[in-house]
Amino acid sequence: MRLLQRLKTGLVLTKDSLSLMNNNRSLFVFPAVGGIAGLTFLALFFGVTFGLLAVTMDGVMIVGLFFSYLALTFVTTFFSAGLVHQTREVLGGNDASLKRGMAAAWKVKGHLFVWSLISATIGLLINAIENSESRVARLLGTIFGVAWTLMTFFVVPVIVFEKSSTTGLFKRSAETFKQTWGEAPITLVAINIVGAIVAVPFVLPGIYLINTGVGIVGIGLVLSGVLLSFLISQTLQGVVKTTLYLYARDGKRPEEFDNVDFDDLTNESAGRSTTQTPSYGGVQ
């Protein structure tokens, strides 16, 4: 498949994923609950941190911040796993369920924690490099950050559906990305664009009101835009990566994506072993 065709496929996939989300709005509950849980943890953590700041050593603070980042990463990954699992259920013609999604994520909590630990560590390292005074280091940090995001794009679906070993997570995620090297990046870009489009009608008026002295209303609009953008972007990303993963792995087309040209992925996955392939309803 030519590059332009892959890019087109990624855009159509994003559009159809938005339609799927609109028809199954219960999927939004996963990033919503995950976001609330993460914000609650942050409030508790920083409340205790600032309360003890006067008697806390810098080294302890750094350790505390790392563990807070780890906890937030785990919470986000946990609810993302539930979303991925329930997206498959929706593609199979079933209704999404927070309870079933959380139960599925709990079954792989160990794998999710290990991945969160790795992700938090690498994330902090990338952030440190990107904030370096060296322009070369910042450039390398940005390049590595993008490569890391793409290479690990399918880690959560691999954990949920395959329960691979730690090394297997990266191998399977990288293999799946290799099959979707055009679609995956363009969907990431499209998701960010969708998030920005959702936020702009709230953020711009909010900034204007803040600058004109109506601070409370302005701040409320900005926060509403940011939260709505987060909710839609996270849900859309879960739907997209699940759909791409399932099709790249099994070569089965979800009925909701009949107009998406997955032919090249079918050809690439045809020769691969499917001994671990589960069956899904609602796919052809």
Side-chain angles (χ1 to χ4, degrees), residues 77 81 108-109 111-112 115 154-164 169 245:
T77 304
V108 292
K109 58 185 180 297
H111 292 79
L112 293 175
W115 162 240
F154 294 101
V155 161
V156 173
V158 170
I159 291 176
V160 173
F161 301 128
E162 299 185 25
K163 303 177 180 63
S164 298
L169 296 179
Y245 167 82

Side-chain angles (χ1 to χ4, degrees), residues 31-255:
V33 175
I36 292 172
L39 289 174
T40 301
F41 174 83
L42 268 183
L44 292 173
F45 174 80
F46 283 111
V48 174
T49 298
F50 288 121
L52 299 176
L53 188 59
V55 294
T56 303
M57 299 173 60
D58 290 342
V60 176
M61 282 290 295
I62 293 174
V63 173
L65 289 173
F66 170 76
F67 280 106
S68 70
Y69 190 71
L70 170 60
L72 285 173
T73 302
F74 177 74
V75 169
T76 302
T77 304
F78 188 86
F79 283 92
S80 178
L83 172 60
V84 164
H85 183 272
Q86 287 304 292
T87 296
R88 185 189 69 178
E89 293 299 307
V90 168
L91 291 174
N94 303 312
D95 294 329
S97 164
L98 178 63
K99 181 179 180 180
R100 291 197 300 271
M102 294 299 92
W106 185 254
K107 290 180 180 179
V108 292
K109 58 185 180 297
H111 292 79
L112 293 175
F113 178 78
V114 172
W115 162 240
S116 298
L117 180 61
I118 296 171
S119 180
T121 303
I122 298 298
L124 288 176
L125 289 175
I126 292 175
N127 184 67
I129 295 173
E130 289 180 338
N131 287 297
S132 169
E133 295 182 359
S134 169
R135 292 183 179 180
V136 175
R138 291 199 298 270
L139 176 61
L140 291 176
T142 300
I143 294 174
F144 180 70
V146 172
W148 174 257
T149 298
L150 295 176
M151 185 180 73
T152 60
F153 186 68
F154 294 101
V155 161
V156 173
V158 170
I159 291 176
V160 173
F161 301 128
E162 299 185 25
K163 303 177 180 63
S164 298
S165 63
T166 302
T167 54
L169 296 179
F170 297 100
K171 180 180 178 181
R172 288 291 297 119
S173 179
E175 286 177 351
T176 307
F177 173 75
K178 183 179 178 180
Q179 291 177 249
T180 60
W181 60 268
E183 294 83 358
I186 197 62
T187 54
L188 276 174
V189 173
I191 289 168
N192 288 327
I193 293 175
V194 169
I197 292 174
V198 169
V200 164
F202 295 89
V203 173
L204 291 183
I207 293 175
Y208 173 78
L209 290 175
I210 292 173
N211 291 332
T212 55
V214 192
I216 296 178
V217 177
I219 292 173
L221 281 175
V222 171
L223 288 177
S224 297
V226 171
L227 291 175
L228 186 60
S229 175
F230 169 82
L231 190 65
I232 292 177
S233 297
Q234 291 299 305
T235 307
L236 180 57
Q237 186 173 135
V239 172
V240 165
K241 71 171 56 177
T242 303
T243 304
L244 272 176
Y245 167 82
L246 293 177
Y247 200 85
R249 178 184 175 186
D250 305 329
K252 298 179 181 179
R253 180 192 303 272
E255 293 176 352

